[in-house]
Short mmCIF file of all heavy atoms in Angstrom, two decimals:
data_model
loop_
_atom_site.label_atom_id
_atom_site.label_comp_id
_atom_site.label_asym_id
_atom_site.label_seq_id
_atom_site.Cartn_x
_atom_site.Cartn_y
_atom_site.Cartn_z
N TRP A 249 1.45 9.84 -0.22
CA TRP A 249 1.16 8.38 -0.16
C TRP A 249 0.22 8.10 0.96
O TRP A 249 0.60 8.44 2.14
CB TRP A 249 2.48 7.58 -0.03
CG TRP A 249 2.42 6.16 0.17
CD1 TRP A 249 2.01 5.55 1.39
CD2 TRP A 249 2.57 5.10 -0.75
NE1 TRP A 249 2.04 4.18 1.25
CE2 TRP A 249 2.37 3.88 -0.02
CE3 TRP A 249 2.94 5.08 -2.10
CZ2 TRP A 249 2.51 2.59 -0.72
CZ3 TRP A 249 3.06 3.81 -2.72
CH2 TRP A 249 2.89 2.62 -1.98
N ARG A 252 0.05 10.47 4.09
CA ARG A 252 1.37 11.06 4.29
C ARG A 252 1.74 12.17 3.26
O ARG A 252 1.57 11.96 2.09
CB ARG A 252 2.42 9.94 4.12
CG ARG A 252 2.16 8.68 4.92
CD ARG A 252 3.22 7.64 4.66
NE ARG A 252 2.71 6.32 5.13
CZ ARG A 252 3.45 5.30 5.20
NH1 ARG A 252 4.73 5.38 4.92
NH2 ARG A 252 2.96 4.17 5.61
N GLY A 295 -4.14 2.73 -6.78
CA GLY A 295 -3.77 1.32 -6.53
C GLY A 295 -4.38 0.93 -5.15
O GLY A 295 -4.53 -0.27 -4.85
N PHE A 296 -4.56 1.94 -4.33
CA PHE A 296 -5.16 1.76 -3.02
C PHE A 296 -5.63 3.16 -2.50
O PHE A 296 -5.13 4.15 -3.05
CB PHE A 296 -4.20 1.18 -1.99
CG PHE A 296 -3.05 2.11 -1.65
CD1 PHE A 296 -3.17 3.07 -0.64
CD2 PHE A 296 -1.86 2.06 -2.38
CE1 PHE A 296 -2.15 3.92 -0.38
CE2 PHE A 296 -0.83 2.93 -2.10
CZ PHE A 296 -0.98 3.88 -1.09
N ARG A 309 -14.61 4.50 0.61
CA ARG A 309 -15.35 3.29 0.58
C ARG A 309 -16.89 3.60 0.29
O ARG A 309 -17.52 2.90 -0.48
CB ARG A 309 -15.33 2.60 1.93
CG ARG A 309 -14.00 2.09 2.28
CD ARG A 309 -14.08 1.19 3.55
NE ARG A 309 -14.43 -0.18 3.14
CZ ARG A 309 -14.80 -1.10 3.97
NH1 ARG A 309 -15.08 -0.80 5.27
NH2 ARG A 309 -15.08 -2.34 3.56
N ARG A 312 -17.44 4.38 -3.31
CA ARG A 312 -17.36 3.13 -4.14
C ARG A 312 -18.68 2.32 -3.95
O ARG A 312 -19.19 1.84 -4.91
CB ARG A 312 -16.15 2.29 -3.71
CG ARG A 312 -14.82 2.77 -4.28
CD ARG A 312 -14.71 2.36 -5.77
NE ARG A 312 -14.37 0.95 -5.90
CZ ARG A 312 -14.97 0.15 -6.82
NH1 ARG A 312 -15.86 0.63 -7.62
NH2 ARG A 312 -14.59 -1.09 -6.97
N GLN A 313 -19.07 2.17 -2.72
CA GLN A 313 -20.21 1.29 -2.46
C GLN A 313 -21.51 1.89 -2.87
O GLN A 313 -22.46 1.22 -3.15
CB GLN A 313 -20.17 0.95 -0.93
CG GLN A 313 -19.03 0.00 -0.62
CD GLN A 313 -18.60 -0.12 0.85
OE1 GLN A 313 -17.50 -0.48 1.14
NE2 GLN A 313 -19.54 0.13 1.74
N ASN A 314 -21.57 3.26 -2.93
CA ASN A 314 -22.72 3.92 -3.40
C ASN A 314 -22.71 4.14 -4.92
O ASN A 314 -23.69 4.70 -5.52
CB ASN A 314 -22.95 5.34 -2.75
CG ASN A 314 -23.12 5.17 -1.24
OD1 ASN A 314 -23.64 4.17 -0.79
ND2 ASN A 314 -22.70 6.17 -0.50
N GLY A 315 -21.62 3.76 -5.53
CA GLY A 315 -21.54 3.96 -6.96
C GLY A 315 -21.44 5.35 -7.45
O GLY A 315 -21.84 5.65 -8.61
N GLU A 321 -8.69 1.01 -11.18
CA GLU A 321 -7.79 0.46 -10.21
C GLU A 321 -6.66 -0.29 -10.80
O GLU A 321 -6.88 -1.19 -11.69
CB GLU A 321 -8.62 -0.48 -9.27
CG GLU A 321 -7.86 -0.95 -8.06
CD GLU A 321 -8.78 -1.59 -7.05
OE1 GLU A 321 -9.79 -0.95 -6.61
OE2 GLU A 321 -8.56 -2.76 -6.63
N ASP A 323 -2.44 -2.07 -10.13
CA ASP A 323 -1.41 -2.40 -9.17
C ASP A 323 -0.56 -1.11 -8.86
O ASP A 323 -0.46 -0.24 -9.73
CB ASP A 323 -0.53 -3.48 -9.85
CG ASP A 323 0.79 -3.71 -9.15
OD1 ASP A 323 0.79 -4.59 -8.24
OD2 ASP A 323 1.79 -3.05 -9.46
N GLU A 324 -0.09 -1.00 -7.64
CA GLU A 324 0.68 0.18 -7.23
C GLU A 324 1.86 0.50 -8.17
O GLU A 324 2.11 1.65 -8.51
CB GLU A 324 1.26 0.01 -5.86
CG GLU A 324 0.24 -0.11 -4.73
CD GLU A 324 0.87 -0.61 -3.47
OE1 GLU A 324 2.08 -0.90 -3.42
OE2 GLU A 324 0.15 -0.80 -2.41
N GLN A 328 2.78 3.75 -10.88
CA GLN A 328 4.12 4.37 -11.04
C GLN A 328 4.54 4.38 -12.51
O GLN A 328 5.00 5.37 -13.03
CB GLN A 328 5.15 3.77 -10.18
CG GLN A 328 6.55 4.43 -10.36
CD GLN A 328 7.74 3.57 -9.90
OE1 GLN A 328 7.58 2.37 -9.58
NE2 GLN A 328 8.88 4.16 -9.89
N TRP A 329 4.36 3.22 -13.13
CA TRP A 329 4.79 3.06 -14.48
C TRP A 329 4.03 4.01 -15.42
O TRP A 329 4.55 4.47 -16.37
CB TRP A 329 4.62 1.62 -14.90
CG TRP A 329 5.81 0.92 -15.46
CD1 TRP A 329 5.74 0.00 -16.46
CD2 TRP A 329 7.19 1.07 -15.18
NE1 TRP A 329 6.99 -0.44 -16.73
CE2 TRP A 329 7.91 0.25 -15.97
CE3 TRP A 329 7.83 1.89 -14.21
CZ2 TRP A 329 9.30 0.14 -15.89
CZ3 TRP A 329 9.22 1.82 -14.15
CH2 TRP A 329 9.93 0.95 -14.95
N THR A 343 5.32 -3.94 -18.67
CA THR A 343 5.52 -4.52 -17.31
C THR A 343 4.82 -5.91 -17.29
O THR A 343 3.95 -6.17 -18.04
CB THR A 343 4.90 -3.63 -16.25
OG1 THR A 343 4.89 -4.35 -15.03
CG2 THR A 343 3.44 -3.26 -16.56
N GLY A 348 -2.64 -11.79 -15.79
CA GLY A 348 -3.37 -12.85 -15.16
C GLY A 348 -4.31 -12.38 -14.03
O GLY A 348 -5.14 -13.13 -13.63
N ASP A 350 -7.16 -9.60 -12.17
CA ASP A 350 -8.36 -8.86 -12.61
C ASP A 350 -8.14 -7.42 -12.95
O ASP A 350 -9.02 -6.71 -13.38
CB ASP A 350 -9.49 -9.04 -11.56
CG ASP A 350 -10.29 -10.34 -11.76
OD1 ASP A 350 -10.16 -10.94 -12.79
OD2 ASP A 350 -11.10 -10.67 -10.85
N GLU A 369 8.46 -12.13 -25.40
CA GLU A 369 7.59 -12.12 -24.21
C GLU A 369 6.39 -11.15 -24.31
O GLU A 369 6.56 -10.07 -24.85
CB GLU A 369 8.40 -11.78 -22.96
CG GLU A 369 7.68 -11.96 -21.68
CD GLU A 369 8.62 -11.99 -20.40
OE1 GLU A 369 9.82 -11.90 -20.59
OE2 GLU A 369 8.04 -11.99 -19.35
N PRO A 400 11.56 10.67 5.20
CA PRO A 400 12.30 9.52 4.65
C PRO A 400 11.98 9.12 3.20
O PRO A 400 12.73 8.39 2.58
CB PRO A 400 11.90 8.42 5.61
CG PRO A 400 10.53 8.78 6.16
CD PRO A 400 10.58 10.27 6.19
N ASP A 401 10.87 9.61 2.65
CA ASP A 401 10.48 9.12 1.33
C ASP A 401 9.94 10.27 0.46
O ASP A 401 9.11 11.09 0.92
CB ASP A 401 9.33 8.07 1.53
CG ASP A 401 9.28 7.05 0.37
OD1 ASP A 401 9.47 7.49 -0.78
OD2 ASP A 401 9.00 5.90 0.66
N TYR A 403 8.25 9.55 -2.10
CA TYR A 403 7.10 8.93 -2.77
C TYR A 403 7.29 9.12 -4.30
O TYR A 403 8.39 8.92 -4.77
CB TYR A 403 5.74 9.45 -2.25
CG TYR A 403 5.69 9.36 -0.71
CD1 TYR A 403 5.56 10.48 0.04
CD2 TYR A 403 5.81 8.11 -0.05
CE1 TYR A 403 5.57 10.40 1.42
CE2 TYR A 403 5.84 8.04 1.31
CZ TYR A 403 5.71 9.21 2.09
OH TYR A 403 5.77 9.08 3.43
N PHE A 404 6.23 9.57 -5.01
CA PHE A 404 6.41 9.66 -6.46
C PHE A 404 6.14 11.12 -6.94
O PHE A 404 5.71 11.32 -8.05
CB PHE A 404 5.41 8.63 -7.14
CG PHE A 404 5.73 7.28 -6.65
CD1 PHE A 404 5.14 6.69 -5.53
CD2 PHE A 404 6.71 6.54 -7.27
CE1 PHE A 404 5.44 5.42 -5.08
CE2 PHE A 404 7.07 5.25 -6.85
CZ PHE A 404 6.41 4.75 -5.73
N ASP A 406 8.02 13.56 -7.73
CA ASP A 406 8.72 14.06 -8.95
C ASP A 406 7.96 13.57 -10.21
O ASP A 406 7.88 14.30 -11.17
CB ASP A 406 10.14 13.69 -8.94
CG ASP A 406 10.41 12.17 -8.72
OD1 ASP A 406 9.46 11.51 -8.24
OD2 ASP A 406 11.51 11.69 -9.10
N TRP B 269 18.54 2.42 2.52
CA TRP B 269 17.35 3.27 2.25
C TRP B 269 16.44 2.50 1.33
O TRP B 269 16.91 2.02 0.23
CB TRP B 269 17.82 4.59 1.64
CG TRP B 269 16.70 5.60 1.48
CD1 TRP B 269 15.73 5.93 2.33
CD2 TRP B 269 16.55 6.43 0.35
NE1 TRP B 269 14.94 6.89 1.85
CE2 TRP B 269 15.36 7.24 0.64
CE3 TRP B 269 17.19 6.63 -0.90
CZ2 TRP B 269 14.90 8.21 -0.30
CZ3 TRP B 269 16.73 7.57 -1.78
CH2 TRP B 269 15.59 8.36 -1.48
N PRO B 271 12.92 3.48 0.01
CA PRO B 271 11.65 4.12 -0.17
C PRO B 271 10.75 3.32 -1.12
O PRO B 271 11.25 2.39 -1.73
CB PRO B 271 12.02 5.46 -0.82
CG PRO B 271 13.31 5.13 -1.52
CD PRO B 271 14.00 4.11 -0.68
N TYR B 272 9.53 3.70 -1.26
CA TYR B 272 8.55 2.87 -1.97
C TYR B 272 8.97 2.55 -3.39
O TYR B 272 8.81 1.47 -3.84
CB TYR B 272 7.22 3.55 -1.98
CG TYR B 272 6.47 3.42 -0.69
CD1 TYR B 272 6.16 4.45 0.13
CD2 TYR B 272 6.09 2.12 -0.22
CE1 TYR B 272 5.55 4.32 1.33
CE2 TYR B 272 5.44 1.95 0.97
CZ TYR B 272 5.19 3.05 1.75
OH TYR B 272 4.58 2.89 2.98
N ARG B 273 9.59 3.54 -4.08
CA ARG B 273 9.87 3.20 -5.49
C ARG B 273 10.99 2.18 -5.57
O ARG B 273 11.03 1.41 -6.52
CB ARG B 273 10.24 4.47 -6.24
CG ARG B 273 11.59 5.08 -5.99
CD ARG B 273 11.80 6.19 -6.93
NE ARG B 273 10.75 7.26 -6.71
CZ ARG B 273 10.63 8.30 -7.47
NH1 ARG B 273 11.46 8.50 -8.49
NH2 ARG B 273 9.71 9.21 -7.22
N PHE B 276 9.33 -1.23 -5.24
CA PHE B 276 8.76 -1.64 -6.51
C PHE B 276 9.90 -2.22 -7.45
O PHE B 276 9.71 -3.24 -8.07
CB PHE B 276 8.08 -0.57 -7.27
CG PHE B 276 6.85 -0.04 -6.59
CD1 PHE B 276 6.23 1.14 -6.96
CD2 PHE B 276 6.23 -0.74 -5.52
CE1 PHE B 276 5.08 1.62 -6.37
CE2 PHE B 276 5.11 -0.21 -4.90
CZ PHE B 276 4.53 0.94 -5.31
N TRP B 280 10.05 -6.07 -8.86
CA TRP B 280 10.15 -6.43 -10.28
C TRP B 280 11.46 -7.16 -10.59
O TRP B 280 11.56 -7.92 -11.52
CB TRP B 280 9.96 -5.19 -11.18
CG TRP B 280 8.58 -4.63 -11.05
CD1 TRP B 280 7.66 -4.96 -10.12
CD2 TRP B 280 7.92 -3.74 -11.91
NE1 TRP B 280 6.48 -4.25 -10.30
CE2 TRP B 280 6.61 -3.49 -11.36
CE3 TRP B 280 8.27 -2.98 -13.06
CZ2 TRP B 280 5.66 -2.58 -11.97
CZ3 TRP B 280 7.40 -2.10 -13.65
CH2 TRP B 280 6.07 -1.95 -13.14
N PHE B 307 -16.84 -5.75 -8.79
CA PHE B 307 -15.92 -4.60 -8.71
C PHE B 307 -16.69 -3.32 -9.13
O PHE B 307 -16.45 -2.27 -8.52
CB PHE B 307 -14.76 -4.82 -9.72
CG PHE B 307 -13.86 -3.62 -9.78
CD1 PHE B 307 -12.90 -3.47 -8.75
CD2 PHE B 307 -13.97 -2.60 -10.70
CE1 PHE B 307 -12.10 -2.37 -8.72
CE2 PHE B 307 -13.16 -1.54 -10.69
CZ PHE B 307 -12.20 -1.36 -9.73
N ARG B 309 -19.69 -2.35 -8.52
CA ARG B 309 -20.44 -1.78 -7.44
C ARG B 309 -20.24 -2.66 -6.21
O ARG B 309 -21.14 -3.55 -5.96
CB ARG B 309 -21.93 -1.70 -7.84
CG ARG B 309 -22.84 -1.10 -6.85
CD ARG B 309 -22.69 0.42 -6.77
NE ARG B 309 -23.45 0.97 -5.66
CZ ARG B 309 -24.72 1.41 -5.78
NH1 ARG B 309 -25.32 1.37 -6.88
NH2 ARG B 309 -25.37 1.87 -4.75
N LYS B 311 -19.98 -4.49 -2.61
CA LYS B 311 -20.71 -4.48 -1.34
C LYS B 311 -19.80 -3.88 -0.29
O LYS B 311 -20.24 -3.14 0.56
CB LYS B 311 -21.08 -5.91 -0.95
CG LYS B 311 -22.55 -6.29 -1.19
CD LYS B 311 -22.81 -7.61 -0.61
CE LYS B 311 -22.43 -8.72 -1.57
NZ LYS B 311 -22.64 -10.08 -1.09
N ALA B 312 -18.48 -4.21 -0.36
CA ALA B 312 -17.55 -3.63 0.55
C ALA B 312 -16.24 -3.33 -0.17
O ALA B 312 -15.60 -4.25 -0.75
CB ALA B 312 -17.30 -4.62 1.71
N GLN B 313 -15.88 -2.10 -0.23
CA GLN B 313 -14.54 -1.78 -0.80
C GLN B 313 -13.51 -2.04 0.21
O GLN B 313 -13.64 -1.59 1.36
CB GLN B 313 -14.58 -0.26 -1.18
CG GLN B 313 -13.21 0.29 -1.62
CD GLN B 313 -12.74 -0.27 -2.95
OE1 GLN B 313 -13.56 -0.54 -3.87
NE2 GLN B 313 -11.44 -0.39 -3.11
N LEU B 315 -9.02 -2.79 0.47
CA LEU B 315 -7.80 -1.96 0.28
C LEU B 315 -7.57 -1.53 -1.18
O LEU B 315 -7.01 -0.46 -1.36
CB LEU B 315 -6.56 -2.76 0.73
CG LEU B 315 -6.46 -3.10 2.21
CD1 LEU B 315 -5.33 -4.17 2.45
CD2 LEU B 315 -6.16 -1.85 3.02
N GLY B 316 -8.02 -2.29 -2.12
CA GLY B 316 -7.62 -2.07 -3.48
C GLY B 316 -6.58 -3.09 -3.89
O GLY B 316 -6.14 -3.91 -3.06
N MET B 317 -6.19 -3.11 -5.14
CA MET B 317 -5.20 -4.10 -5.61
C MET B 317 -3.92 -4.04 -4.89
O MET B 317 -3.17 -5.05 -4.79
CB MET B 317 -4.95 -3.90 -7.11
CG MET B 317 -6.11 -4.17 -8.01
SD MET B 317 -6.36 -5.93 -8.19
CE MET B 317 -7.82 -6.04 -9.14
N ARG B 318 -3.57 -2.85 -4.42
CA ARG B 318 -2.21 -2.65 -3.79
C ARG B 318 -1.17 -3.25 -4.71
O ARG B 318 -1.22 -3.16 -5.90
CB ARG B 318 -2.19 -3.25 -2.35
CG ARG B 318 -3.19 -2.45 -1.49
CD ARG B 318 -2.61 -1.92 -0.18
NE ARG B 318 -1.54 -0.99 -0.35
CZ ARG B 318 -1.20 -0.07 0.53
NH1 ARG B 318 -1.94 0.08 1.62
NH2 ARG B 318 -0.22 0.76 0.35
N GLY B 319 -0.19 -3.98 -4.11
CA GLY B 319 0.89 -4.52 -4.95
C GLY B 319 0.69 -5.99 -5.36
O GLY B 319 1.55 -6.57 -5.97
N PRO B 321 -0.97 -7.77 -7.72
CA PRO B 321 -0.73 -8.27 -9.06
C PRO B 321 0.72 -8.35 -9.45
O PRO B 321 1.25 -9.32 -9.94
CB PRO B 321 -1.48 -7.33 -9.97
CG PRO B 321 -2.52 -6.74 -9.09
CD PRO B 321 -1.90 -6.66 -7.68
N GLY B 322 1.48 -7.33 -9.05
CA GLY B 322 2.91 -7.19 -9.34
C GLY B 322 3.72 -8.20 -8.52
O GLY B 322 4.68 -8.79 -9.00
N ILE B 325 3.28 -12.03 -9.82
CA ILE B 325 3.83 -12.35 -11.13
C ILE B 325 5.34 -12.27 -11.10
O ILE B 325 6.04 -12.69 -11.97
CB ILE B 325 3.27 -11.42 -12.21
CG1 ILE B 325 3.38 -12.01 -13.62
CG2 ILE B 325 3.84 -10.05 -12.17
CD1 ILE B 325 2.45 -13.16 -13.91
N VAL B 347 -12.73 -10.84 -6.70
CA VAL B 347 -11.83 -10.14 -7.56
C VAL B 347 -10.43 -10.71 -7.37
O VAL B 347 -10.02 -10.95 -6.22
CB VAL B 347 -11.77 -8.62 -7.24
CG1 VAL B 347 -10.74 -7.87 -7.99
CG2 VAL B 347 -13.13 -7.97 -7.42
N VAL B 348 -9.69 -10.98 -8.43
CA VAL B 348 -8.36 -11.56 -8.30
C VAL B 348 -7.32 -10.40 -8.27
O VAL B 348 -7.05 -9.70 -9.22
CB VAL B 348 -8.05 -12.46 -9.47
CG1 VAL B 348 -6.62 -12.98 -9.36
CG2 VAL B 348 -9.00 -13.64 -9.48
N ILE B 351 -2.48 -13.42 -8.21
CA ILE B 351 -2.89 -14.54 -9.08
C ILE B 351 -2.38 -15.87 -8.51
O ILE B 351 -1.36 -15.97 -7.93
CB ILE B 351 -2.42 -14.38 -10.53
CG1 ILE B 351 -0.91 -14.52 -10.64
CG2 ILE B 351 -2.85 -12.99 -11.03
CD1 ILE B 351 -0.41 -14.66 -12.10
N ARG B 355 -4.36 -19.40 -12.93
CA ARG B 355 -4.20 -18.26 -13.79
C ARG B 355 -2.72 -18.15 -14.30
O ARG B 355 -2.51 -17.78 -15.46
CB ARG B 355 -4.63 -16.97 -13.04
CG ARG B 355 -6.14 -16.93 -12.94
CD ARG B 355 -6.56 -15.64 -12.22
NE ARG B 355 -7.97 -15.40 -12.35
CZ ARG B 355 -8.51 -14.34 -12.93
NH1 ARG B 355 -7.76 -13.35 -13.43
NH2 ARG B 355 -9.79 -14.20 -12.99
N ARG B 365 6.99 -17.73 -15.08
CA ARG B 365 8.17 -18.37 -14.53
C ARG B 365 8.65 -17.85 -13.21
O ARG B 365 9.44 -18.50 -12.52
CB ARG B 365 9.33 -18.30 -15.59
CG ARG B 365 9.91 -16.92 -15.85
CD ARG B 365 10.73 -16.99 -17.18
NE ARG B 365 11.46 -15.86 -17.50
CZ ARG B 365 11.02 -14.78 -18.11
NH1 ARG B 365 9.70 -14.70 -18.41
NH2 ARG B 365 11.75 -13.75 -18.38
#
Side-chain angles (χ1 to χ4, degrees):
Chain A
W249 171 282
R252 309 180 198 189
F296 66 86
R309 294 191 87 194
R312 280 284 284 134
Q313 291 162 202
N314 296 332
E321 188 167 307
D323 168 89
E324 293 167 1
Q328 179 198 9
W329 233 216
T343 171
D350 273 349
E369 189 165 353
D401 206 323
Y403 309 117
F404 301 91
D406 54 340
Chain B
W269 185 43
Y272 283 114
R273 73 174 61 186
F276 294 167
W280 294 14
F307 179 81
R309 182 75 187 268
K311 257 187 277 178
Q313 172 68 32
L315 292 169
M317 291 284 175
R318 297 231 61 153
I325 200 76
V347 173
V348 176
I351 71 168
R355 286 182 168 240
R365 67 196 189 277

